[in-house]
């Protein structure tokens, strides 16, 4: 149980285009999902908290107009990187907090984004 | 504010040897504590968690961790390391904030020698 999927696992796009990443909780409901960014050999940096049915909460320094988050259902959150630039290339990981569980976050496998 | 310190950036052990990864935290209340493992290019997998009760918790893959309130520590241990244990290990504490998010340590990279 407690499986979180991400799609795509890897994406390459041209500078200026937008990329959408999906995060799904497969066997549990998650009113809260989190989006992280991870640079090589570094820890996770929380970008935003995605709440089902409401606006996402962004961490300081994260541009909400660039990283659009939608949490339309209890099992799906999407992160759209708009007008992507090479500096947006990174590993993006989502997690979902099990509403029925004990404050446990379950992580997706991550999405590797490369912007050319 | 809460924080997590993993003092060892990189640890190297021989296969079959014992392992201990250190984690110290700063938290204003009784924390929830977690250890996650990340293989290259992958997401994080939950190894174990502590919420309350027995301070020695057992996890998957033969790992265990001990919560020591007096030392603000939650060290991860394994009696005999396997080559497949080579990965990055993250300690986390929470929840905090209105979103009840976790705070992660900087990670410890484990290398296992044959």
């Amino acid at each position: 149980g407690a499986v979180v999927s991400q799609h795509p696992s890897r994406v390459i796009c041209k500078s200026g285009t937008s990329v959408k990443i999906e995060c799904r909780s497969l066997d549990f409901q998650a009113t809260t999902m989190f989006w992280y960014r991870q640079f090589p050999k570094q820890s996770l940096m929380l970008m935003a908290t995605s709440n089902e049915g409401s606006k996402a909460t962004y961490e300081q320094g994260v541009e909400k107009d660039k990283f659009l988050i939608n949490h339309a259902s209890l099992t799906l959150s999407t992160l759209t990187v708009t007008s992507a630039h090479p500096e947006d290339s990174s590993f993006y990981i989502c997690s979902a907090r099990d509403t029925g569980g004990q404050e446990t976050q379950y992580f997706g496998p991550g999405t590797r984004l490369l912007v050319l | 504010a809460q924080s997590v310190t993993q003092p060892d950036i990189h640890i190297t052990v021989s296969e079959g040897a014992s392992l201990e990864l250190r984690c110290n935290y700063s938290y204003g209340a009784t924390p929830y504590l977690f250890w996650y493992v990340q293989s290259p290019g992958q997401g994080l997998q939950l190894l174990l968690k502590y919420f309350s009760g027995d301070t020695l918790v057992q996890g998957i893959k033969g790992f265990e961790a001990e919560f020591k309130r007096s030392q603000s520590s939650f060290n991860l241990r394994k009696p005999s390391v396997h080559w497949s244990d080579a990965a990055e290990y993250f300690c986390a504490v929470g929840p905090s904030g209105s979103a009840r998010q976790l705070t992660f340590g900087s990670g410890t990279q484990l290398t296992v020698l044959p």
Side-chain angles (χ1 to χ4, degrees):
Chain A
V3 178
V4 177
S5 70
Q6 266 183 258
H7 179 80
S9 59
R10 185 186 299 264
V11 57
I12 301 173
C13 69
K14 294 183 178 180
S15 184
T17 61
S18 295
V19 174
K20 179 185 285 188
I21 302 171
E22 292 187 349
C23 177
R24 293 181 185 271
S25 56
L26 298 184
D27 49 5
F28 65 100
Q29 294 183 332
T31 55
T32 303
M33 292 184 174
F34 301 91
W35 287 96
Y36 296 86
R37 185 172 179 175
Q38 187 179 33
F39 294 100
K41 299 189 182 301
Q42 294 191 25
S43 188
L44 284 74
M45 181 190 79
L46 180 64
M47 298 174 64
T49 302
S50 170
N51 300 295
E52 188 266 338
S54 64
K55 291 184 178 180
T57 303
Y58 291 82
E59 296 300 299
Q60 192 171 9
V62 178
E63 299 176 60
K64 62 180 180 181
D65 294 330
K66 180 166 187 63
F67 298 100
L68 299 179
I69 291 173
N70 183 276
H71 193 156
S73 76
L74 286 173
T75 59
L76 173 64
S77 176
T78 60
L79 168 68
T80 301
V81 183
T82 63
S83 187
H85 288 92
E87 57 265 31
D88 298 324
S89 299
S90 192
F91 193 56
Y92 293 88
I93 307 177
C94 73
S95 71
R97 184 162 61 85
D98 187 352
T99 57
Q102 297 174 298
E103 304 290 351
T104 301
Q105 287 187 32
Y106 297 96
F107 285 80
T111 297
R112 175 73 60 191
L113 171 63
L114 176 61
V115 184
L116 302 177
Chain B
Q2 64 285 341
S3 65
V4 180
T5 302
Q6 292 180 247
D8 304 304
I9 298 174
H10 194 177
I11 283 184
T12 300
V13 299
S14 297
E15 189 169 20
S18 63
L19 171 71
E20 182 170 33
L21 302 182
R22 296 184 290 167
C23 172
N24 292 96
Y25 67 90
S26 172
Y27 195 75
T30 301
Y32 291 170
L33 295 158
F34 306 83
W35 275 100
Y36 289 89
V37 60
Q38 184 181 33
S39 297
Q42 301 294 316
L44 277 66
Q45 181 182 23
L46 179 67
L47 283 177
L48 47 78
K49 58 188 177 184
Y50 171 79
F51 291 151
S52 64
D54 192 348
T55 56
L56 183 64
V57 293
Q58 302 297 320
I60 62 172
K61 303 185 180 185
F63 285 93
E64 67 178 25
E66 186 171 12
F67 170 57
K68 293 185 177 180
R69 184 187 301 275
S70 62
Q71 299 178 19
S72 297
S73 69
F74 188 58
N75 295 347
L76 182 71
R77 301 194 294 250
K78 186 169 185 177
S80 178
V81 171
H82 189 263
W83 63 266
S84 60
D85 293 324
E88 185 88 19
Y89 291 80
F90 292 97
C91 180
V93 64
S96 66
S98 58
R100 305 185 72 71
Q101 61 226 42
L102 299 181
T103 299
F104 285 86
S106 55
T108 297
Q109 178 69 47
L110 173 66
T111 298
V112 180
L113 300 177

